[in-house]
Amino acid sequence: MRKIMLVCCFLLGLTAICRAQGGGQRMSPEDRAKQLQTTLKLTDDQTGKITAILKVQATKMDSVRTAANGDRTAMRTAMGPIRTAANDQIKALLTPDQATAYQKMLDEQRARMQQGGGGGN
């Protein structure tokens, strides 16, 4: 009985650690826009427009997730162009300095993803 309780506690602790590291949770478009506003020093107008872009992107991504029915390869293939289009629209709203900082953020996120560390998106 003790061993079963110990295993249960271990699994519960492991689950808590994974959740604390953001495992599987996606930020809302509003939260992502606020994060960009802080990081890139966006104006309120830019933030509103970026929020709208991110909402459209999220809707399209959810549709892809549903249609792919768990097929990760299909999701990755379909989501690439959606992500690229949203990033291009966002960059068009930014000043040159903001666009450079945004591209740097994207590059760092891509590097983390390739190393298997996740990106928080």
Side-chain angles (χ1 to χ4, degrees):
M1 187 64 158
R2 266 189 182 168
K3 288 181 183 180
I4 292 173
M5 287 297 267
L6 184 61
V7 169
C8 287
C9 288
F10 175 75
L11 291 175
L12 185 62
L14 186 61
T15 302
I17 289 170
C18 289
R19 285 209 166 267
Q21 292 178 351
Q25 295 180 353
R26 289 184 293 275
M27 292 176 71
S28 72
E30 293 83 1
D31 290 340
R32 288 179 58 205
K34 286 179 187 175
Q35 182 184 30
L36 289 175
Q37 183 178 28
T38 303
T39 306
L40 301 176
K41 297 176 179 52
L42 302 176
T43 64
D44 290 339
D45 183 51
Q46 286 175 313
T47 304
K49 290 177 181 176
I50 288 173
T51 301
I53 292 168
L54 293 174
K55 283 182 180 181
V56 170
Q57 178 191 24
T59 302
K60 289 179 181 178
M61 296 272 213
D62 287 341
S63 296
V64 168
R65 277 186 201 92
T66 302
N69 205 19
D71 181 357
R72 289 187 172 273
T73 304
M75 280 192 286
R76 195 175 305 118
T77 302
M79 286 182 180
I82 296 169
R83 217 177 264 119
T84 300
N87 288 336
D88 290 346
Q89 290 174 345
I90 290 170
K91 286 179 197 174
L93 297 172
L94 303 175
T95 66
D97 290 340
Q98 290 170 330
T100 301
Y102 183 65
Q103 186 60 50
K104 182 180 176 188
M105 285 174 46
L106 294 175
D107 293 342
E108 290 170 356
Q109 181 182 23
R110 188 173 296 116
R112 282 193 308 270
M113 292 295 284
Q114 288 174 346
Q115 294 172 357
N121 256 29

